[in-house]
Amino acid sequence: MDGLVRFSFYLFAASSMAIWVSAIAYIAYAVGRVRVQRQTMVTSAGSTVTSMSAEFGPSVQGVGRIGTMMAVFGALFAGFAILTRAIAAEHIVLSNMYEYSLVFIFFTTSAYLVFERIYGVRQLGAIVMTVAGLMTLYVWSLPSDMREINPVVPALQAGPIMAFHVGSANLAYSVLSVSFGAAVLFLIADRWAPRWLPSAEMLDDIAFRAVTVGFPFLSLMLILGSVWAHDAWGTYWSWDPKETAALFAWLVYAVYLHTRTLRGWRGRRSAYILLFGFASLIFTYYGNYFFGGLHAYGGVKM
Amino acid sequence: MAQASLQSSPTRSTSDQIIDRIWRFFCSVRAAVAEITFLALLVLIGTLRGSEVPRWIAEAFPFLQGIVDRWYAWDVFSSLLFALTLALIAVAIAVCTLNRAPSIWQTISHPRVATSRSWLRGAETSATFTRTGTADSLADDLSSVFAKRRYRVLSERIGNEVHLYADKNRFAKLGTFPFHLALILILVGGLMAAHYGFREQEFIVVEGDTRPVGHNTGLSIRLDQFTDNYTAMGVAASYKSDITILQDGREVKSGDIRVGHPMSYGSATVYQSSLGFAKSFRITDAAGNVIYEGSQPIGVFTLKGNPDAPAGLVDLPGIGGQLVFAAQDTDPANRPDLDTLNLNSDQLWIQLGLRDAASGQLVNVPGQKVELGKPAQIGQYTITWTGTNRFSVMQVAYNPGVPVFIIAVVLLLGGLMATFYFPHRRVRALVSSTGDSASVQLAPLAKRDWSGKRDFLRLIQDAQESLGTPTAVKLPKSGGDWDTFKPKTNAMT
């Protein structure tokens, strides 16, 4: 069984490399070709003036295709890492921050690929795959003993409800990472309007569609968490810091949806809300570092 | 957009105008956004209160220490301000929902069919088809195209022109109502639980003991056995309590409870929470009469002289006193300088307190160490530590809001899915004829809606099969993204 755990870790290592290659390829694809030109002129007074200018052009399609291919490999390796670990552990791999982050990497990469497939926008990968890549760095930074299989504490032995609660949270954060990526690109497109970036309207739509997928999962996470808490602790809601942090993120995205659908907010203001929403998700995700309380299960300590 | 439908008029009374203003306030989306933002701010303040963040702020900016102290002291989620904000949002949701209902129903059931050439000309995306035949036959064929894509089609003839209005997923617009109703129901469920339910958070029962639940339930719970298993690292792998529920002293239900697997009977549900150890004592007076015989949990009481030591308390109402006991402090994380008892693992420290008859004050007899099974004489009383056993920490709760919560969950998820995954798509078309040819210009109601425009262009692709190649297609100005959806056309703008 130890061999399977080690194999799972090697798969994660392979996934990390693929994801970083993918992120770099997507960044190169998004930035495009940069041609720096230097011009020297002699003025009538005889002095020499030198000017530098940068000319941007679209990148070759092959770079984008490498990004997609490596993202697919990253998702596959992460998926198999989860599968092999689940077989070795004989439980769903959501019991500590190592496993939770591994699943996040898989979901984020997969969610990005789905959006790339639907919208045909590879530039989005420059942001989203970087987020996934940063998460791989976080996983590498975790104590090595977290890579071992440990029995699940009784509080987490709640079967499908707990699995769907944590899984919904992970899926919501992953899809909302896509909306974050679209919001960042929107702000770039809106400010500088580079020709090779997708239109701002399309990026705005991607961000919105991602929220329409992520927000229900965020709601489901709160609901299933409440159902589980009712069975485990006798109450739906305990005002536990991690609970309220998730509620805060939910409220931020509720504000985004209301301002967008009812007040017609589009563009920069909506994008800024999404950046703030993503910051609140990060705050919730890493809440185990800040909070005590009932959710201090992640196996991380300051 | 939720807007107040009521207009103030000069002939209206002052009270009517005040009601109008209040109504408009609750209907205002701007106010709703401000309320949600304020609630989010309160939640953030309350969340950070449970963290080290305020302390870090005070360390970085010492002049903020006073504010940070007040921050830690303020229980946001129990505050009146928080309750009022929730109430305000609940009322706003209710009023806003009522206000929006007529316009939404109008859009669903009786939408305006007629359109104008100027609107079609100004539309960001549109398409025009021209072919020989009558306007009616072209309108019929276009209706068939809409029907294939599950659009409802309404038509209206005005003069020689046929106006078409097609939409799909219209009932999904109602999804906003169950969603917002669900939010109110969740608050109602919470209020029902708070006012009509009860919750004993630390319901401790020692193995073999029976404890009444109270709250006029007539129920008692007996802990028959407690079982726990640990990993090699000493972490609890599983634990369960075998319990019996008694109704007015009569056994009515037995079984085991584990974390996440409670047991219900009548109005009460019993949850497994945690575990601990208890110490058993036998106390007799000088005549040999048994004053007390039973067990009490240890580790739930803080000893004044040695706050880190696991301690317990036996209340002795029969003699108007109490017995305090403490065991060895085995936690290496505790401060050893506070451990003044210096107990071994097989020793307890006990101290008897007796109430002074004259003053009514509790007077402590000097404490002493005792060993298992060896009687100790304190005053006229003989105290024997007879053993160690386990106790189970349970929660006993009654939550009448559960059915309301379940209904709310279904409504919330159903409403969200209807709203987001079945967007209301609308298209307007104007069919006219000139001589022996007829033409139709159609455009989606999809201002700043990329997906709506994409769906429309797919519709145009489908329409080419029966209507032929469009004579003109106006693509969105944001060029470059629409190539994959570009219809086969001989005129592209």
Side-chain angles (χ1 to χ4, degrees):
Chain A
M1 201 59 84
D2 280 351
L4 207 52
V5 175
R6 203 175 299 120
F7 181 57
S8 168
F9 180 71
Y10 293 153
L11 283 168
F12 159 68
S15 172
S16 304
M17 283 187 275
I19 283 169
W20 271 111
V21 172
S22 164
I24 291 165
Y26 279 129
I27 290 169
Y29 180 77
V31 172
R33 278 198 299 259
V34 183
R35 190 177 296 157
V36 179
Q37 289 184 321
R38 183 176 170 175
Q39 288 180 315
T40 306
M41 289 184 294
V42 180
T43 63
S44 54
S47 58
T48 305
V49 178
T50 304
S51 67
M52 303 273 281
S53 64
E55 190 180 301
F56 290 84
S59 186
V60 290
Q61 288 294 317
V63 178
R65 279 198 284 271
I66 289 171
T68 303
M69 188 174 69
M70 297 312 285
V72 170
F73 282 145
L76 286 175
F77 285 139
F80 282 119
I82 293 163
L83 186 66
T84 47
R85 190 171 172 87
I87 292 168
E90 297 177 348
H91 60 71
I92 291 173
V93 285
L94 291 164
S95 66
N96 64 19
M97 283 301 269
Y98 172 82
E99 295 180 349
Y100 190 67
S101 301
L102 193 58
V103 176
F104 175 86
I105 291 163
F106 171 69
F107 278 160
T108 304
T109 310
S110 304
Y112 162 72
L113 286 168
V114 169
F115 274 84
E116 184 192 296
R117 177 82 182 155
I118 293 171
Y119 286 89
V121 178
R122 285 204 167 99
Q123 293 88 338
L124 192 59
I127 308 295
V128 184
M129 293 309 292
T130 303
V131 170
L134 291 172
M135 188 56 85
T136 63
L137 292 185
Y138 167 71
V139 174
W140 280 100
S141 75
L142 288 168
S144 57
D145 60 352
M146 289 180 78
R147 297 171 198 164
E148 305 302 322
I149 302 284
N150 291 310
V152 180
V153 296
L156 298 181
Q157 297 168 2
I161 289 179
M162 171 53 80
F164 283 117
H165 161 59
V166 185
S168 299
N170 220 323
L171 197 52
Y173 297 171
S174 302
V175 180
L176 292 172
S177 300
V178 176
S179 77
F180 164 73
V184 171
L185 284 189
F186 173 89
L187 291 171
I188 294 169
D190 192 54
R191 174 71 179 80
W192 291 285
R195 279 181 296 121
W196 55 90
L197 270 188
S199 71
E201 189 183 57
M202 187 194 207
L203 290 166
D204 185 64
D205 194 75
I206 293 173
F208 176 66
R209 290 293 155 210
V211 174
T212 62
V213 176
F215 187 74
F217 278 107
L218 212 53
S219 309
L220 195 62
M221 170 196 74
L222 290 172
I223 289 165
L224 291 175
S226 299
V227 171
W228 175 80
H230 183 255
D231 279 358
W233 303 327
T235 177
Y236 285 115
W237 196 259
S238 308
W239 299 110
D240 181 59
K242 185 126 177 167
E243 279 178 1
T244 55
L247 176 65
F248 174 71
W250 188 87
L251 287 169
V252 173
Y253 283 101
V255 167
Y256 167 80
L257 289 170
H258 277 83
T259 52
R260 197 181 191 284
T261 55
L262 295 176
R263 282 199 66 78
W265 280 21
R266 298 284 195 282
R268 298 186 77 80
R269 286 187 292 189
S270 281
Y272 285 131
I273 296 176
L274 288 179
L275 298 193
F276 188 64
F278 188 69
S280 68
L281 289 183
I282 292 174
F283 179 66
T284 310
Y285 192 99
Y286 294 108
N288 296 4
Y289 286 101
F290 310 114
F291 309 137
L294 301 164
H295 280 83
Y297 299 128
V300 289
K301 286 175 185 168
M302 289 297 283
Chain B
M1 173 83 71
Q3 294 290 345
S5 60
L6 299 174
Q7 298 291 323
S8 60
S9 87
T11 56
R12 306 190 76 168
S13 66
T14 310
S15 61
D16 283 351
Q17 289 185 29
I18 290 170
I19 291 169
D20 280 0
R21 280 176 186 277
I22 293 170
W23 184 269
R24 278 199 211 104
F25 169 76
F26 281 119
C27 292
S28 161
V29 176
R30 188 188 293 259
V33 169
E35 288 155 15
I36 299 171
T37 306
F38 184 66
L39 179 69
L41 181 69
L42 289 178
V43 169
L44 182 64
I45 291 170
T47 302
L48 291 176
R49 177 178 174 260
S51 75
E52 295 286 299
V53 174
R55 192 174 58 76
W56 296 342
I57 292 172
E59 283 172 5
F61 307 102
F63 63 94
L64 293 175
Q65 185 63 53
I67 293 173
V68 167
D69 289 343
R70 265 182 275 174
W71 190 350
Y72 275 124
W74 187 37
D75 186 357
V76 181
F77 303 120
S78 301
S79 69
L80 181 65
L81 182 65
F82 189 74
L84 286 176
T85 307
L86 283 180
L88 186 69
I89 288 175
V91 173
I93 289 170
V95 173
C96 202
T97 304
L98 286 175
N99 192 61
R100 291 178 66 200
S103 64
I104 288 179
W105 185 245
Q106 176 73 23
T107 305
I108 291 170
S109 60
H110 301 102
R112 184 171 57 82
V113 175
T115 185
S116 67
R117 293 226 172 264
S118 61
W119 183 82
L120 288 166
R121 268 197 304 276
E124 199 186 348
T125 309
S126 65
T128 306
F129 292 90
T130 305
R131 69 171 199 194
T132 54
T134 63
D136 287 331
S137 71
L138 182 55
D140 287 345
D141 288 350
L142 182 59
S143 298
S144 301
V145 172
F146 280 129
K148 275 184 192 166
R149 293 187 72 92
R150 296 182 294 106
Y151 276 79
R152 169 188 66 165
V153 182
L154 301 174
S155 65
E156 191 176 317
R157 175 173 274 283
I158 302 174
N160 292 328
E161 296 176 328
V162 180
H163 297 251
L164 295 177
Y165 170 88
D167 69 351
K168 71 173 180 181
N169 301 332
R170 61 187 185 279
F171 290 110
K173 282 192 80 71
L174 297 173
T176 185
F177 298 120
F179 175 77
H180 286 102
L181 177 63
L183 296 180
I184 295 174
L185 286 179
I186 286 171
L187 293 178
V188 169
L191 286 174
M192 286 173 70
H195 287 276
Y196 302 110
F198 64 81
R199 186 177 171 214
E200 290 288 337
Q201 281 187 278
E202 285 207 339
F203 193 83
I204 296 173
V205 187
V206 179
E207 254 180 339
D209 275 8
T210 303
R211 185 177 163 188
V213 171
H215 302 281
N216 299 319
T217 59
L219 296 174
S220 304
I221 293 164
R222 187 176 72 218
L223 177 63
D224 298 320
Q225 192 180 12
F226 185 83
T227 314
D228 49 353
N229 297 303
Y230 295 86
T231 66
M233 290 182 291
V235 179
S238 68
Y239 46 91
K240 70 178 177 90
S241 299
D242 291 298
I243 60 168
T244 299
I245 299 177
L246 301 99
Q247 174 78 61
D248 301 321
R250 183 171 50 86
E251 291 184 11
V252 288
K253 194 169 184 179
S254 294
D256 63 75
I257 57 168
R258 287 172 287 138
V259 177
H261 297 84
M263 181 196 287
S264 295
Y265 178 79
S267 59
T269 304
V270 189
Y271 304 86
Q272 179 68 65
S273 183
S274 63
L275 65 153
F277 287 91
K279 301 293 177 187
S280 305
F281 295 96
R282 177 184 167 85
I283 304 174
T284 53
D285 61 14
N289 300 316
V290 177
I291 304 295
Y292 175 84
E293 186 160 25
S295 307
Q296 285 299 320
I298 191 164
V300 295
F301 177 76
T302 302
L303 200 61
K304 203 181 289 179
N306 193 352
D308 285 341
L313 179 75
V314 182
D315 196 23
L316 302 168
I319 58 172
Q322 63 180 32
L323 178 76
V324 173
F325 57 96
Q328 185 189 25
D329 180 10
T330 54
D331 189 344
N334 288 342
R335 288 175 54 186
D337 55 304
L338 292 179
D339 186 8
T340 55
L341 298 177
N342 297 315
L343 296 167
N344 298 325
S345 58
D346 57 352
Q347 290 180 321
L348 278 185
W349 178 85
I350 59 171
Q351 184 180 53
L352 190 64
L354 296 170
R355 207 163 292 284
D356 181 65
S359 65
Q361 296 290 313
L362 210 59
V363 179
N364 287 327
V365 179
Q368 61 176 276
K369 293 175 185 175
V370 294
E371 292 181 358
L372 185 64
K374 294 183 178 173
Q377 197 67 38
I378 300 181
Q380 59 170 312
Y381 300 103
T382 304
I383 301 173
T384 311
W385 170 28
T386 54
T388 299
N389 49 8
R390 251 91 59 90
F391 69 83
S392 174
V393 183
M394 298 176 247
Q395 289 197 35
V396 187
Y398 167 56
N399 187 348
V402 172
V404 179
F405 180 79
I406 292 168
I407 292 167
V409 165
V410 173
L411 291 174
L412 191 140
L413 290 178
L416 274 179
M417 292 177 76
T419 304
F420 290 150
Y421 304 140
F422 301 93
H424 191 206
R425 299 281 187 231
R426 293 178 291 171
V427 177
R428 291 190 186 282
L430 181 57
V431 190
S432 58
S433 60
T434 318
D436 60 349
S437 68
S439 71
V440 59
Q441 190 177 3
L442 62 163
L445 283 96
K447 193 181 175 187
R448 292 189 292 187
D449 179 1
W450 190 90
S451 295
K453 287 168 192 156
R454 186 183 57 176
D455 272 16
F456 173 75
L457 290 173
R458 283 180 175 159
L459 180 82
I460 296 304
Q461 284 177 324
D462 283 2
Q464 290 181 70
E465 289 177 15
S466 54
L467 303 182
T469 306
T471 51
V473 174
K474 190 175 172 186
L475 293 176
K477 286 174 189 166
S478 49
D481 302 327
W482 303 101
D483 288 350
T484 51
F485 308 107
K486 200 181 279 181
K488 293 169 193 162
T489 174
N490 50 19
M492 197 72 66
T493 56

